[in-house]
Amino acid sequence: MLNVNIAGVNFKNPIIAASGTFGFGQEYSSLYNVSKLGAITTKGLTLHPREGNNGLRIYETPGGMLNSVGLQNPGVIRFIDEELPRMKRLGTKIIANFGGCTIDEYIKGIELLNQTDVDMIELNISCPNVKYGGMAFGVKSSIAYQVVREAKSCCKKPLMVKLSPNAEDIVDMAFRCCEGGADALSLVNTFKAMEIDIHKRKPVFENIYAGLSGPAIKPVALRMVYDVSKAVNIPVVGMGGITSAKDAIQFIMAGAHAVQIGTANFIKPDICLDILSGIQEFMEKEGIKDISEIRGIA
Amino acid sequence: MNFQYRVEIVDENMEISKGIYKLSLSGKFKGVPGQFYMLKTYGLNPLLPRPISIHDIHENKISFLYSVVGEGTKFLSQLRKGEQLQILGPLGKGFNVENIKGKAAIISGGIGIAPMLYLSKNLKVSTLHLYAGFRDEVYGIDDMKKYTDKIYLTTENGNTGVKGYITEIFNPSSYDIVLCCGPEKMMMKTVKLCKEYNVPIFVSMEKHMACGIGACLVCTCKTKNGNRRTCKDGPVFLGEDVIWDA
């Protein structure tokens, strides 16, 4: 049994494509049958369309990559009108990732998404790319609490809050998001990081900072998922540098109900299927009948 | 869409000029001039594949010409015959050879010569002139001789051809259309030249990429029609549409 229930939503398996790495699913669906995924998380949405950041947007580092896309997206209204109908035909659950710059934007966006058939909302309180943007909400748990409480009060969908590893105290952050009414937590988003071009003698990104993802962050992400899973009693979705079934199983053993796969999609476009079949093989070999048997076992 | 993910075996990977490699794979491959493949060596280092344009396609062979510029291409250059290479492609929108007519000029800077062999082979134009600029060593020209009517060369050190930049000797006035690939500043200058003479120009953009298929939005090219994905909406764009970073 691979299916998992998170906040009342039944996912056929615990493999979820992570926000920002999978577009709205269309591109990958021309390479493989994405209905085999547990869910697809949308590109990070905002209330209004965003052009994203200027200049270089990606820089590879040992075992990882920095991105500075800056939430380029068509806005929640065009998502609902144009992308969502096509996404619904992909045959898997849809998690709408939504972020705002103000509490008012969060409320307006959620009210629009309430009227759609997205299966879940992932609240982005952690994108580190946008000046005056998500970062402030995701660093201080008292501020995150306010956003989550307001979001929850108007949200008619299961609400998953995506945590930033840049939080001052990840466990306290998780606690306060629970208090605010989160139905589930996903973690971790990218780590605030930078690179300097020694020939130009300045940061490589116009925004100076960018978000680090990929295998380089996995052990740190795993530790955070382990600590948070032990501390809260709502489902946790783990992510951060997962590139193999072994990595995914580690997150599940650390307490995650499901995992999200992000950067790894760039390494091999159908890697989610490899991870899924690897988990199945592991379960067969180890005599595990239900994935929940190993959840949090470590 | 017609692209595929495959694991292939390297047939040949040799240095044809200083830091310039030609990598060949055997088998049937698709692609139109200007399209590219994402190439990746085995394992997690480097993490991401690299977008490399199609240099040539034969009935049973594809070749890529690339310059070693960083870690990713360094690893590519170390591949030996018989080793595995992961490929994803053909990707992007290439040159529309059916709509390119009359007297045409190809203008390239450095490794921008890479897609031009397959392009010149497939063009159905009345006259084709090649303008190719290099830093010091000239490469990739010999195979193009039979598909071009005239070749103009420049090198920055003057070793071959005219000393200087290719944009200094290029005059678009006598051409119906110009096709360009090279460093961003060189392409920007060429677009400006073509604009002065009101000659249409297509440019093949180069940006850092991750997914290669249009999902991740890291290779955005700013255009007069808004942000476009270099990997999917490009890499070939109408020159006048591009808003240059350089």
Side-chain angles (χ1 to χ4, degrees):
Chain A
M1 284 264 286
L2 273 169
N3 67 309
V4 289
N5 190 295
I6 299 171
V9 181
N10 190 35
F11 297 89
K12 67 185 93 168
N13 64 61
I15 304 299
I16 301 170
S19 180
T21 64
F22 218 76
F24 298 103
Q26 303 304 321
E27 291 81 14
Y28 284 95
S29 77
S30 51
L31 269 168
Y32 72 95
N33 182 3
V34 297
S35 76
K36 290 186 176 171
L37 300 174
I40 296 172
T41 317
T42 68
K43 168 73 197 158
L45 300 164
T46 51
L47 186 59
H48 303 293
R50 286 183 58 92
E51 289 276 295
N53 291 338
N54 289 326
L56 188 70
R57 289 183 171 190
I58 183 166
Y59 191 90
E60 185 167 335
T61 57
M65 56 167 266
L66 294 172
N67 92 79
S68 176
V69 174
L71 285 175
Q72 179 182 333
N73 81 96
V76 71
I77 292 171
R78 257 183 64 200
F79 161 71
I80 292 167
D81 290 346
E82 294 170 24
E83 299 292 347
L84 186 56
R86 292 199 289 163
M87 253 189 123
K88 287 303 289 182
R89 293 198 286 272
L90 296 177
T92 185
K93 299 285 184 204
I94 298 167
I95 302 173
N97 179 291
F98 183 82
C101 295
T102 62
I103 286 182
D104 189 51
E105 279 184 14
Y106 277 104
I107 292 169
K108 282 184 174 146
I110 288 167
E111 282 173 346
L112 287 164
L113 290 168
N114 276 340
Q115 297 159 36
T116 68
D117 41 14
V118 302
D119 298 287
M120 182 179 267
I121 294 174
E122 181 177 61
L123 205 65
N124 176 13
I125 60 166
S126 51
C127 185
N129 290 328
V130 184
K131 280 179 185 165
Y132 315 110
M135 190 61 167
F137 295 114
V139 174
K140 290 209 175 293
S141 45
S142 55
I143 298 173
Y145 166 77
Q146 287 173 33
V147 179
V148 174
R149 195 188 56 192
E150 297 286 341
K152 178 64 186 173
S153 69
C154 67
C155 190
K156 292 179 179 147
K157 301 281 182 186
L159 185 69
M160 179 158 75
V161 179
K162 185 170 182 177
L163 305 186
S164 167
N166 308 309
E168 288 173 337
D169 176 339
I170 195 76
V171 172
D172 185 53
M173 174 62 74
F175 266 132
R176 299 304 306 269
C177 289
C178 286
E179 275 177 18
D183 300 308
L185 299 173
S186 57
L187 68 154
V188 299
N189 204 327
T190 57
F191 286 73
K192 187 177 180 180
M194 72 183 292
E195 283 283 329
I196 291 171
D197 183 327
I198 60 168
H199 300 292
K200 292 182 183 161
R201 303 179 177 192
K202 59 179 192 180
V204 302
F205 291 107
E206 276 196 21
N207 226 18
I208 301 173
Y209 309 116
L212 178 66
S213 63
I217 70 168
K218 196 215 73 181
V220 193
L222 185 65
R223 185 266 295 174
M224 290 179 167
V225 169
Y226 182 85
D227 287 348
V228 165
S229 299
K230 297 246 177 302
V232 299
N233 53 14
I234 57 172
V236 167
V237 173
M239 81 191 92
I242 296 172
T243 62
S244 65
K246 179 187 160 192
D247 293 339
I249 293 164
Q250 287 184 331
F251 276 83
I252 292 164
M253 288 185 171
H257 275 63
V259 293
Q260 291 190 11
I261 312 298
T263 300
N265 294 305
F266 308 147
I267 300 171
K268 183 174 184 287
D270 58 355
I271 203 161
C272 286
L273 299 187
D274 296 352
I275 293 170
L276 183 59
S277 60
I279 292 174
Q280 283 169 319
E281 272 171 41
F282 178 80
M283 287 171 66
E284 273 166 36
K285 269 191 198 152
E286 301 273 323
I288 300 158
K289 289 198 171 55
D290 192 311
I291 191 89
S292 65
E293 291 169 35
I294 55 168
R295 184 184 305 140
I297 205 163
Chain B
M1 266 168 284
N2 231 345
F3 53 84
Q4 264 190 320
Y5 174 81
R6 303 153 64 166
V7 178
E8 293 290 335
I9 303 296
V10 174
D11 206 29
E12 192 175 46
N13 189 25
M14 56 179 230
E15 192 171 19
I16 61 152
S17 179
K18 199 178 162 214
I20 306 295
Y21 287 76
K22 188 172 160 183
L23 187 153
S24 309
L25 308 170
S26 296
K28 300 233 178 287
F29 295 91
K30 288 179 181 165
V32 300
Q35 283 192 304
F36 66 96
Y37 278 73
M38 295 296 276
L39 306 186
K40 190 180 177 323
T41 50
Y42 182 77
L44 295 179
N45 184 30
L47 196 64
L48 302 172
R50 295 296 188 269
I52 308 286
S53 64
I54 297 168
H55 179 53
D56 201 4
I57 295 180
H58 292 275
E59 201 187 347
N60 270 309
K61 183 178 164 181
I62 189 167
S63 60
F64 301 95
L65 193 68
Y66 61 95
S67 165
V68 174
V69 290
E71 288 292 312
T73 42
K74 192 175 104 191
F75 273 88
L76 272 183
S77 75
Q78 288 162 353
L79 277 175
R80 303 226 174 108
K81 184 180 168 75
E83 290 186 319
Q84 282 189 0
L85 180 69
Q86 301 167 39
I87 70 164
L88 174 66
L91 299 168
K93 243 174 64 190
F95 293 96
N96 187 345
V97 292
E98 302 303 324
N99 286 349
I100 296 168
K101 293 194 174 95
K103 191 177 175 191
I106 286 175
I107 172 164
S108 70
I111 194 62
I113 192 73
M116 298 313 190
L117 173 60
Y118 193 47
L119 175 63
S120 59
K121 250 172 104 169
N122 283 279
L123 281 175
K124 297 156 191 164
V125 293
S126 59
T127 308
L128 182 60
H129 291 173
L130 169 66
Y131 294 78
F134 298 91
R135 194 165 289 154
D136 39 41
E137 283 183 36
V138 172
Y139 50 83
I141 296 301
D142 291 345
D143 293 340
M144 290 188 68
K145 281 179 182 160
K146 64 175 164 177
Y147 305 110
T148 48
D149 299 294
K150 193 154 189 179
I151 295 178
Y152 301 88
L153 297 175
T154 61
T155 49
E156 286 173 41
N157 59 9
N159 276 354
T160 313
V162 177
K163 187 176 182 340
Y165 294 116
I166 197 69
T167 45
E168 290 162 1
I169 64 156
F170 177 61
N171 183 335
S173 63
S174 66
Y175 298 104
D176 298 310
I177 188 154
V178 175
L179 311 160
C180 178
C181 185
E184 203 153 292
K185 274 185 183 156
M186 171 263 177
M187 291 200 285
M188 185 173 74
K189 191 150 190 225
T190 312
V191 168
K192 207 174 147 202
L193 272 173
C194 289
K195 200 178 172 189
E196 281 170 30
Y197 294 95
N198 209 17
V199 178
I201 172 171
F202 287 96
V203 293
S204 181
M205 300 297 291
E206 184 179 44
K207 299 273 182 191
H208 291 264
M209 294 180 186
C211 74
I213 60 174
C216 73
L217 309 182
V218 304
C219 66
T220 296
C221 175
K222 292 201 179 299
T223 76
K224 288 176 183 162
N225 311 309
N227 282 349
R228 289 290 178 268
R229 296 165 294 185
T230 302
C231 69
K232 194 175 180 187
D233 307 313
V236 176
F237 293 96
L238 191 59
E240 65 191 57
D241 286 347
V242 175
I243 297 168
W244 301 91
D245 276 343

